[in-house]
Amino acid sequence: MRTSTERNSPAVTYNFGDYVLYRDPELFWTGKTNHTFVCRVGSRWTDGTYHLTALASGKVVPYVRPDYMRLLPPIDAMRDIDTAPLHGADAADGMTAAAMAWLTQQHTTANQRPELPEQR
């Protein structure tokens, strides 16, 4: 029986390409390891279930109920870039390699002169 809180909770709909954290209920409830992992949403079926692809293994996880999924928002993945200290000698020490690469790319692109087409 569902509680009034469960009945009144808004249904979450995931979109193709969303990154989600998935917990395999069978592995979890039987006490087995590796029950929670990051997936990408592949498709949604008319019964409300989803097909996911596990990022680490590439394994397809079919017919997943959304109750066992949690959205991984882009803001969490990009937090280190958004909050990175950009001034000071040790500013880069707390940043991941991906953040450094992205900032370097943005800096290089922003400071380049646009290329003119070749003269004919």
Side-chain angles (χ1 to χ4, degrees), residues 22-44:
Y22 168 65
R23 175 163 286 161
D24 185 313
E26 290 181 25
L27 293 177
F28 178 77
W29 290 116
T30 57
K32 296 180 180 167
T33 61
N34 302 321
H35 50 68
T36 305
F37 43 94
V38 177
C39 295
R40 185 176 311 129
V41 174
S43 56
R44 181 171 187 253

Side-chain angles (χ1 to χ4, degrees), residues 101-120:
W102 184 84
L103 286 172
T104 301
Q105 179 185 21
Q106 297 307 308
H107 176 72
T108 301
T109 304
N111 291 325
Q112 284 182 343
R113 288 184 164 195
E115 295 287 327
L116 294 175
E118 289 187 27
Q119 295 283 331
R120 291 187 183 199

Side-chain angles (χ1 to χ4, degrees), residues 2-13 66-67 70:
R2 292 187 169 215
T3 66
S4 62
T5 305
E6 288 175 313
R7 279 191 303 258
N8 295 331
S9 297
V12 176
T13 302
D67 301 340
R70 296 295 182 266

Side-chain angles (χ1 to χ4, degrees), residues 29-72:
W29 290 116
T30 57
K32 296 180 180 167
T33 61
N34 302 321
H35 50 68
T36 305
F37 43 94
V38 177
C39 295
R40 185 176 311 129
V41 174
S43 56
R44 181 171 187 253
W45 299 100
T46 56
D47 66 355
T49 62
Y50 294 84
H51 278 205
L52 307 177
T53 301
L55 292 186
S57 68
K59 174 185 165 192
V60 173
V61 186
Y63 304 108
V64 173
R65 290 181 23 207
D67 301 340
Y68 296 101
M69 299 164 50
R70 296 295 182 266
L71 184 64
L72 295 173

